[in-house]
Amino acid sequence: MNLFIKPKKPGKSTDEELLSDYRASGDLTVLGSLYERYMPLVYGVCLKYLKDEELAKDAVMGIFEELVDKVKKHEINQFRNWVYVLGRNYCLMQLRSGKKMELVNLDEVMEFTPFLHPDDNNREEALKALENCIAGLTGGQKQSIDLFYLKEKCYKEIADITGYTLNEVKSYIQNGKRNLKICLERNSA
């Protein structure tokens, strides 16, 4: 499949005739003949959105696979415009699904890994260090951390219990976590 050579039009069939023939017969060669006319257009759209030649070529084939069913289900007035929109939407969905699959380093996600999940050997020591660090927090931070992590309350419940605003609770928890991390790292060194 060469996407850069303009394909020959099969006979004098119009897009509408080829669509009608495909819907009536289900013959993939008819659909392929129609799609071939617009493959350079679809490839261009895919390349524009995906910014990678190989991904764009894969998308052109994936779009054809979607055409097999979608052409039968949708009313299509102008195939050229319709396949352009289908190609654009396909690429956007590929980009969205790609973002969901982003890899993240576990160390960036896991907080206080050695302290929250200590080995059995130094578990008691880690818990004592955590208690000491919590005791060293300011009043709002200490209270919010205690309610959120130890008593498993949500932000709204903490705000109701303490009288702090939701933003204050969020701030106390964020700052408290940061201060705990600093304290625990300092004590482990």
Side-chain angles (χ1 to χ4, degrees):
M1 161 179 80
N2 191 343
L3 300 173
F4 299 105
I5 297 174
K6 193 166 186 170
K8 300 175 201 158
K9 290 190 177 184
K12 295 185 179 188
S13 299
T14 65
D15 291 353
E16 292 77 20
E17 289 171 340
L18 289 173
L19 273 173
S20 177
D21 288 351
Y22 172 68
R23 286 180 177 145
S25 68
D27 185 0
L28 289 178
T29 56
V30 174
L31 182 62
S33 297
L34 174 61
Y35 187 57
E36 231 177 6
R37 294 177 181 181
Y38 300 103
M39 280 173 69
L41 169 75
V42 174
Y43 176 73
V45 170
C46 294
L47 191 57
K48 174 185 171 186
Y49 284 95
L50 302 176
K51 301 188 185 335
D52 179 271
E53 290 181 17
E54 292 305 312
L55 290 175
K57 288 176 184 177
D58 290 344
V60 168
M61 297 313 298
I63 291 165
F64 180 75
E65 291 171 6
E66 285 195 6
L67 279 179
V68 173
D69 291 325
K70 290 190 176 197
V71 164
K72 293 178 182 177
K73 295 177 184 175
H74 296 276
E75 185 175 325
I76 303 168
N77 295 327
Q78 289 189 323
F79 185 77
R80 182 185 202 297
N81 297 344
W82 185 82
V83 79
Y84 174 88
V85 171
L86 179 69
R88 183 193 64 202
N89 292 344
Y90 182 91
C91 290
L92 291 173
M93 291 305 292
Q94 292 296 310
L95 290 171
R96 283 188 195 122
S97 68
K99 288 180 183 173
K100 292 177 187 170
M101 299 298 287
E102 217 172 279
L103 296 178
V104 177
N105 185 351
L106 274 180
D107 293 334
E108 294 172 13
V109 179
M110 297 292 289
E111 298 178 35
F112 316 124
T113 306
F115 306 108
L116 289 179
H117 309 288
D119 297 332
D120 288 335
N121 301 343
N122 64 353
R123 184 179 206 76
E124 193 64 37
E125 184 180 311
L127 289 174
K128 189 170 282 235
L130 183 60
E131 286 175 7
N132 290 337
C133 288
I134 289 174
L137 294 174
T138 64
Q141 290 177 7
K142 181 196 280 186
Q143 191 176 18
S144 296
I145 292 284
D146 179 60
L147 290 169
F148 187 73
Y149 288 104
L150 303 177
K151 298 197 172 72
E152 298 181 351
K153 302 289 184 188
C154 69
Y155 283 16
K156 182 168 180 358
E157 290 174 318
I158 296 169
D160 291 342
I161 292 168
T162 61
Y164 302 135
T165 66
L166 285 175
N167 284 338
E168 288 174 322
V169 170
K170 181 179 178 184
S171 178
Y172 284 142
I173 291 172
Q174 285 178 335
N175 292 332
K177 284 186 342 185
R178 185 186 66 245
N179 291 335
L180 280 176
K181 182 177 181 182
I182 292 167
C183 177
L184 290 169
E185 287 173 349
R186 195 178 308 135
N187 289 340
S188 70

